[in-house]
Amino acid sequence: MKARVTISLKNGVLDPQGKAIEHALHGLGFDGVNDVRQGKIIELDLGDIAKENAASEVERMCTQLLANTVIENYSIELLD
Amino acid sequence: MKAAVIVFPGSNCDRDMKVAIEQSLGHAPSMVWHADTELPPTDLIAIPGGFSYGDYLRCGAIAGNSPIMREVVKKASQGTLVLAVCNGFQVATETGMLPGALLRNANQKFICKDVDLKVVSDNKYFAGSFTKGDTVRFPVAHHDGNYFADEETRKRLHGEGMIAFQYADADGNVNAETNINGSVDNIAGIYNEKGNILADAASGTPDKRRAGWHGRQSVFR
């Protein structure tokens, strides 16, 4: 079982890196870009684990370490 | 007073902290490795600045989950003094000892300079040589010093006298122009509710021994 965790800053939390990317895209002529938010993806290889256990295990990993829920949202995808 | 400095892989200011404490207290602190699970008897725990674990994942996140930090959190809850500086502030918020979080500076720049801070609250443990309303000059050397807290937390910080320092000018004026990194309400340092934990984003990396220790020393009562 593999899992992919996507972490992004919450709405309302300033994302200076996203802003810098937005400015750079505008500089390249991509004027249609209204906003950029950046984040990170963490891929986990969980070995032989039942799908239902994997979901709760990754959830715990997110709240304890992978994401800081003061400033970040996370979403979990389980990949067979 | 006995002191201990927590040492994380990748940090580069633990020895500066040691020198500062030695100069301030007259004797050397214990240096405690992150993988240890017990602290020596101590009255003050210092979490130094630097780049613990290379700032991987999030600044302070991996250090905040290291074995020794569980013990630090426990001792802090029992009243042991904790001084968390720069990366130490990030580590302290990651453990949940202090509210909020630190983000990348709003201007995306690594800021390395001396800044004026307004002393916002009096505290019975720290800040012995200055009082509420004073302006102090501390060195800053950080890339992720942009303090964030949600509305509810901000109200609590203001209401319970938990704000230690705000970015200001030399006359103590706090406004958008003196906000060097985008921190909410210009917040540069906070206390916990009980006042035994002080964290500040100032006092930074390479030049603090030159410029900052007069300020840093005076943090100890």
Side-chain angles (χ1 to χ4, degrees):
Chain A
M1 174 69 66
K2 292 188 177 176
R4 183 183 294 139
V5 178
T6 305
I7 296 163
S8 57
L9 287 168
K10 286 182 176 175
N11 285 332
V13 175
L14 181 70
D15 181 359
Q17 294 180 80
K19 281 281 166 228
I21 295 165
E22 184 185 327
H23 289 313
L25 288 171
H26 290 167
L28 291 170
F30 295 103
D31 299 327
V33 177
N34 289 328
D35 191 26
V36 177
R37 307 284 287 171
Q38 55 81 50
K40 60 180 86 108
I41 290 175
I42 298 171
E43 290 182 335
L44 305 162
D45 184 341
L46 301 169
D48 295 327
I49 184 172
K51 196 167 185 174
E52 55 273 25
N53 295 342
S56 63
E57 195 75 352
V58 178
E59 180 81 28
R60 292 201 306 129
M61 291 179 200
C62 286
T63 53
Q64 285 180 37
L65 177 65
L66 300 181
N68 179 342
T69 54
V70 175
I71 48 172
E72 293 172 327
N73 290 321
Y74 61 86
S75 63
I76 299 166
E77 281 174 88
L78 295 178
L79 315 166
D80 292 322
Chain B
M1 179 187 253
K2 286 182 187 157
V5 176
I6 309 299
V7 181
F8 298 109
S11 279
N12 61 345
C13 296
D14 38 12
R15 286 185 231 175
D16 295 42
M17 183 65 91
K18 180 186 177 189
V19 170
I21 289 175
E22 204 165 354
Q23 287 176 357
S24 185
L25 300 182
H27 53 265
S30 311
M31 304 300 280
V32 182
W33 186 233
H34 71 114
D36 289 353
T37 51
E38 279 183 36
L39 284 158
T42 188
D43 308 298
L44 170 79
I45 300 162
I47 312 174
F51 301 86
S52 58
Y53 294 90
D55 282 348
Y56 290 172
L57 190 62
R58 291 179 308 279
C59 301
I62 297 176
N65 284 284
S66 61
I68 197 64
M69 286 310 297
R70 284 193 280 277
E71 191 67 10
V72 172
V73 171
K74 193 171 103 188
K75 293 286 181 198
S77 72
Q78 293 166 353
T80 302
L81 302 183
V82 176
L83 175 66
V85 173
C86 204
N87 183 228
F89 193 172
Q90 297 158 344
V91 173
T93 58
E94 283 286 343
T95 64
M97 281 196 290
L98 291 171
L102 290 130
L103 300 166
R104 180 60 45 95
N105 292 339
N107 65 4
Q108 283 277 15
K109 290 180 180 166
F110 188 98
I111 300 170
C112 186
K113 62 179 183 182
D114 290 350
V115 294
D116 295 304
L117 303 176
K118 183 181 176 185
V119 180
V120 183
S121 309
D122 285 323
N123 179 280
K124 60 182 168 183
Y125 305 112
F126 295 100
S129 58
F130 42 78
T131 52
K132 188 174 169 176
D134 287 353
T135 305
V136 292
R137 198 163 174 79
F138 280 1
V140 152
H142 61 216
H143 205 175
D144 298 76
N146 177 355
Y147 182 72
F148 173 84
D150 61 23
E151 195 55 39
E152 194 183 318
T153 305
R154 286 162 73 176
K155 280 184 190 153
R156 187 157 61 93
L157 292 170
H158 284 282
E160 304 205 9
M162 292 166 68
I163 299 173
F165 305 108
Q166 285 173 309
Y167 299 107
D169 64 19
D171 299 321
N173 298 305
V174 175
N175 53 48
E177 282 173 25
T178 65
N179 192 346
I180 58 166
N181 56 20
S183 294
V184 294
D185 301 334
N186 287 44
I187 292 172
I190 60 173
Y191 296 108
N192 63 336
E193 286 91 338
K194 286 196 286 186
N196 66 311
I197 305 174
L198 167 62
D200 79 84
S203 186
T205 322
D207 60 350
K208 65 185 175 191
R209 280 168 72 173
R210 171 184 59 78
W213 286 124
H214 55 90
R216 180 57 48 212
Q217 276 177 285
S218 61
V219 162
F220 304 108
R221 188 177 276 277

